[in-house]
């Protein structure tokens, strides 16, 4: 266990924002997590449960306690229906887990390749990409109640999963420390290729029917083409969520913008790419101080070096204003702003 004071969070946020927290506690086992109530006092609040910091924007020093899980390990068994149940420590790197799954023939996570962050955050954020969401493969989530030290297990159905949402992100925020996530994976490979430009990437490699390894590599190649390396340029991946609008709103917009891209949801509403809206407003590649919109993907905000959290927020707000004024659509950050 680590218990440190006035701790730098620079290595714990991929935006590369220089900030400190008053106290930093890192647990390496479930037993250590259960000791948290005896370690924390009222003066240690507020609390921030932090994963890999890949979905976080710090606007300044955090005058409270950051709690981080470094719980590692993976174990699996075969369920009665043939599914592979994979129990993973919340401190494991997510993309490493996907790699292990592909290597072992455990399927369902391929489209979520190369998403940064740790496993605990996967269950909080309900990460998603290329037509897949983590909630489709999450079976249960194990956690410790930070106030009592009690160990709890939540079924996926009880976690309120939605588009980039969960109860861990809303009403349960700061209440639980996730220790393990149990994924239900399939021994049968059923590739989903109907989203984004997966098929185009595969065709460029002369692949019509991909293997799991080929699909994972295609997703990795697409992401590397579109997203900056956090080691080179600070960012948190997709900064905004794609807005969902009613059918009537979409049809009105389509009259004005016949080429507007969209994805029809099961309830008849339409999801519109936020990146397209931002690009139409002329923000792609533009900077505001040391914060900028990435020139290859308008959905990504980047730190050009030396940007503060306030700089990123100012850019975010300017973009939101322009999108709302032009399209009448409000776009919300996917990133957790602290």
């Amino acid at each position: 266990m680590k218990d440190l004071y006035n701790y730098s969070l620079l290595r714990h946020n991929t935006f590369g924002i220089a900030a400190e927290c008053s106290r930093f506690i890192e647990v390496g086992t479930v037993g250590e997590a259960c000791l948290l109530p005896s370690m924390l006092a009222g003066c240690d609040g507020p609390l921030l449960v932090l994963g890999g910091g890949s979905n976080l924007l710090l606007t300044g020093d955090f005058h409270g306690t950051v709690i981080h899980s470094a719980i590692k390990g993976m174990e699996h068994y075969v369920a009665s229906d043939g599914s592979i149940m994979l129990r993973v420590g919340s401190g494991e790197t997510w993309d490493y887990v996907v790699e292990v799954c592909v290597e072992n023939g455990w399927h369902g996570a391929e489209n979520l390749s190369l998403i940064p962050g740790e496993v605990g955050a996967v269950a909080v954020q309900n990460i998603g990409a290329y037509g897949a969401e983590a909630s489709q493969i999450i079976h249960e989530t194990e956690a410790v109640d930070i106030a009592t030290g009690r160990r709890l297990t939540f079924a996926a159905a009880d976690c309120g999963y939605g588009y980039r949402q969960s109860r861990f992100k809303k009403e349960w925020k700061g209440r639980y420390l996730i220790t393990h996530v149990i994924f239900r994976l399939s021994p049968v490979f059923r590739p989903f290729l109907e989203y984004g430009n997966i098929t185009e990437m595969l065709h460029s490699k002369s692949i019509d029917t991909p293997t799991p390894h080929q699909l994972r590599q295609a997703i990795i190649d697409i992401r590397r083409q579109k997203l900056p390396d956090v080691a080179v340029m600070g960012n948190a991946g997709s900064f905004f969520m794609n807005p969902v609008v009613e059918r009537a709103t979409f049809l009105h917009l389509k009259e004005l913008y016949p080429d507007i891209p969209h994805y029809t949801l099961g309830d008849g509403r339409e999801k519109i790419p936020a990146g397209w809206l931002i690009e139409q407003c002329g923000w792609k590649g533009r900077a505001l101080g040391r914060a900028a919109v990435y020139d290859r993907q308008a959905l990504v905000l980047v730190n050009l070096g030396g940007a503060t959290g306030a700089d990123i927020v100012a850019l975010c707000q300017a973009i939101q204003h322009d999108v709302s004024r032009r399209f009448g659509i409000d776009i919300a950050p996917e990133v957790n702003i602290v």
Side-chain angles (χ1 to χ4, degrees), residues 108 111-112 122 126-138 161-165 271:
N111 288 40
L112 303 177
V122 168
N126 187 21
I127 62 170
Y130 302 103
E133 288 188 338
S135 58
Q136 296 168 335
I137 57 173
I138 291 175
Y161 285 122
Y163 175 53
R164 305 296 183 272
Q165 294 292 340
K271 183 187 293 185

Side-chain angles (χ1 to χ4, degrees), residues 134-295:
S135 58
Q136 296 168 335
I137 57 173
I138 291 175
H139 176 64
E140 290 178 334
T141 298
E142 299 175 10
V144 168
D145 187 319
I146 295 172
T148 66
R150 182 185 176 197
R151 297 175 62 175
L152 301 161
T153 299
F154 299 98
D158 297 328
C159 295
Y161 285 122
Y163 175 53
R164 305 296 183 272
Q165 294 292 340
S166 75
R167 297 180 75 183
F168 293 111
K169 192 175 179 181
K170 295 187 288 186
E171 66 262 38
W172 291 348
K173 186 175 182 178
R175 180 175 175 182
Y176 300 110
L177 178 68
I178 294 173
T179 61
H180 293 83
V181 181
I182 301 171
F183 300 95
R184 181 185 292 273
L185 302 158
S186 174
V188 180
F189 179 50
R190 299 184 180 90
F192 182 76
L193 311 176
E194 309 306 317
Y195 201 94
N197 52 346
I198 299 175
T199 301
E200 180 181 337
M201 175 60 73
L202 290 170
H203 284 172
S204 74
K205 299 171 179 285
S206 301
I207 298 171
D208 293 322
T209 306
T211 65
H213 289 84
Q214 289 172 331
L215 176 55
R216 169 168 160 77
Q217 189 59 53
I219 298 293
I220 289 173
D221 291 344
I222 293 170
R223 291 186 67 87
R224 284 179 173 162
Q225 284 182 0
K226 295 172 60 177
L227 302 174
D229 184 345
V230 296
V232 177
M233 185 178 293
N235 71 93
S238 298
F239 193 91
F240 295 98
M241 292 186 286
N242 294 320
V244 175
V245 302
E246 297 297 330
R247 179 71 176 169
T249 299
F250 168 74
L251 292 175
H252 172 69
L253 288 171
K254 190 168 179 59
E255 289 182 1
L256 301 174
Y257 307 96
D259 297 328
I260 185 171
H262 63 102
Y263 180 77
T264 303
L265 303 179
D267 59 5
R269 294 184 300 167
E270 301 288 341
K271 183 187 293 185
I272 299 173
W276 183 87
L277 298 171
I278 296 166
E279 186 171 351
Q280 297 306 302
C281 291
W283 276 105
K284 188 175 182 180
R286 282 178 58 191
L288 197 62
R290 301 305 298 165
V293 179
Y294 190 48
D295 58 5

Side-chain angles (χ1 to χ4, degrees), residues 3 5 21-25 40-41 43-49 62-67:
D3 189 0
Y5 290 84
C21 61
S22 300
R23 188 179 183 188
F24 180 85
I25 299 175
L40 296 168
C43 60
D44 291 312
L47 302 179
L48 173 64
V49 178
F62 184 71
H63 301 291
T65 300
V66 169
I67 302 174

